[in-house]
Amino acid sequence: MIDPVAFYIFGKEVRWYGILIAAAVLLGIYLAVREAKRLGYDPDMFIDFCLWVIPISIVGARIYYVVFQWDYYRAHPSEIIAIWHGGIAIYGAVLAGILVGIIFAKVRKVDFWGLADIVAPSLILGQAIGRWGNFFNGEAYGYLVSSPKWQWFPAAVYIDGQWHMATFFYESMWDLAVFIFLMWYRKRKRYSGDVFLGYLALYGIGRFIVEGLRTDSLMWGPLRVSQVLSLILIAVAVLIRVCWMRTGKQQFSMEDAALQANANDEDDVGDI
């Protein structure tokens, strides 16, 4: 295993986990702001949105994790804020981000679904990068791999003297594939909100499968919390999309149609 500490500053450790999370956030902001400009959104307005949604989502991710690991954190309260040691749950960030997005859209009088579509590719790319923080922390791994022919990285990962399924890697690769698809699909969507619903459904499918291979899942009684929430979000995404089709929802809001009309025709590969 690689040392989880990248370097020290004035005696304080700087961990790879924190570096990767920070890199994921910065790259996500860059891509989202670029897409917002492409669609004609006011860049200042969108940066304001990022300044609200990012810190609150990180707090939401931490709270979600702490709640489902409360037996540990009740005994170690000083660790509750030690986010640099790992322990954030992306679904906590997603739920907090949705709430912030709804409130922000209502206050600024913009289309929530349009905002969500812009953010979705950045979010899944950030998840793909952030999963490597789990590698450096030696966490988010799967069951033991007993067969020598599979005891190599990235099929497996060597932790604490044993080979385990490299579930962090499996999820990272799935997230990257979803990111590429969403970047392609964003110019081909039929409804405002399609990209975000695609994110919820596709990420939910991958997370449900990978979560079943992990040994450190957050549990709710006998149930894996992330698997339950994955199924719920997949169902919600599908039902919303079906309702739009059956009720004849306007494909784009007037605002989104105007923004789409102003979008340039950059090559998809160049956008990525």
Side-chain angles (χ1 to χ4, degrees):
M1 290 299 298
I2 299 175
D3 190 340
V5 179
F7 52 86
Y8 292 85
I9 297 180
F10 302 116
K12 299 293 185 180
E13 61 183 36
V14 177
R15 291 180 167 246
W16 285 110
Y17 186 90
I19 293 173
L20 286 167
I21 294 297
V25 169
L26 292 175
L27 181 57
I29 292 174
Y30 169 76
L31 289 176
V33 171
R34 182 179 177 183
E35 176 68 357
K37 289 180 178 179
R38 186 184 76 86
L39 292 174
Y41 278 91
D42 178 4
D44 292 336
M45 183 275 294
F46 200 80
I47 290 175
D48 287 344
F49 173 63
C50 291
L51 291 175
W52 279 102
V53 74
I54 290 172
I56 294 177
S57 293
I58 293 174
V59 171
R62 183 60 172 179
I63 291 174
Y64 183 101
Y65 183 85
V66 169
V67 166
F68 288 104
Q69 294 278 45
W70 184 240
D71 287 343
Y72 172 81
Y73 287 104
R74 179 172 52 192
H76 304 85
S78 63
E79 284 290 306
I80 291 177
I81 63 172
I83 194 172
W84 50 90
H85 290 163
I88 59 175
I90 188 59
Y91 273 141
V94 171
L95 295 175
I98 290 174
L99 178 61
V100 173
I102 291 172
I103 295 172
F104 186 90
K106 184 175 181 62
V107 171
R108 292 298 186 95
K109 295 180 173 58
V110 295
D111 178 30
F112 163 76
W113 293 111
L115 288 178
D117 280 351
I118 291 172
V119 171
S122 294
L123 179 57
I124 194 69
L125 179 61
Q127 291 172 239
I129 296 171
R131 274 301 173 205
W132 285 90
N134 299 134
F135 167 70
F136 287 103
N137 274 1
E139 59 191 9
Y141 51 83
Y143 293 111
L144 287 173
V145 176
S146 57
S147 174
K149 69 179 181 179
W150 294 108
Q151 291 178 345
W152 47 271
F153 185 80
V157 61
Y158 193 71
I159 296 177
D160 296 332
Q162 295 178 305
W163 285 94
H164 294 263
M165 292 182 176
T167 48
F168 81 90
F169 177 80
Y170 310 158
E171 186 173 327
S172 180
M173 293 301 99
W174 175 261
D175 293 347
L176 183 59
V178 174
F179 165 72
I180 293 171
F181 171 78
L182 294 182
M183 289 295 286
W184 171 83
Y185 184 64
R186 67 200 168 101
K187 291 185 178 180
R188 297 162 177 83
K189 63 181 183 179
R190 290 185 57 192
Y191 301 97
S192 178
D194 264 357
V195 178
F196 183 64
L197 294 183
Y199 158 77
L200 291 180
L202 291 174
Y203 174 67
I205 292 170
R207 182 60 184 269
F208 180 86
I209 295 171
V210 173
E211 193 70 22
L213 304 175
R214 288 176 56 172
T215 59
D216 61 346
S217 298
L218 298 178
M219 303 298 292
W220 183 23
L223 303 175
R224 297 175 188 258
V225 177
S226 291
Q227 284 192 316
V228 173
L229 192 52
S230 292
L231 290 177
I232 292 173
L233 292 180
I234 292 168
V236 168
V238 171
L239 287 173
I240 289 175
R241 188 59 163 76
V242 170
C243 286
W244 287 351
M245 294 172 63
R246 291 190 174 182
T247 59
K249 174 185 181 288
Q250 186 176 357
Q251 289 193 2
F252 297 103
S253 65
M254 294 301 293
E255 172 195 324
D256 195 47
L259 294 174
Q260 195 75 3
N262 291 330
N264 59 43
D265 294 322
E266 293 180 9
D267 180 77
D268 287 341
V269 176
D271 288 343
I272 295 175

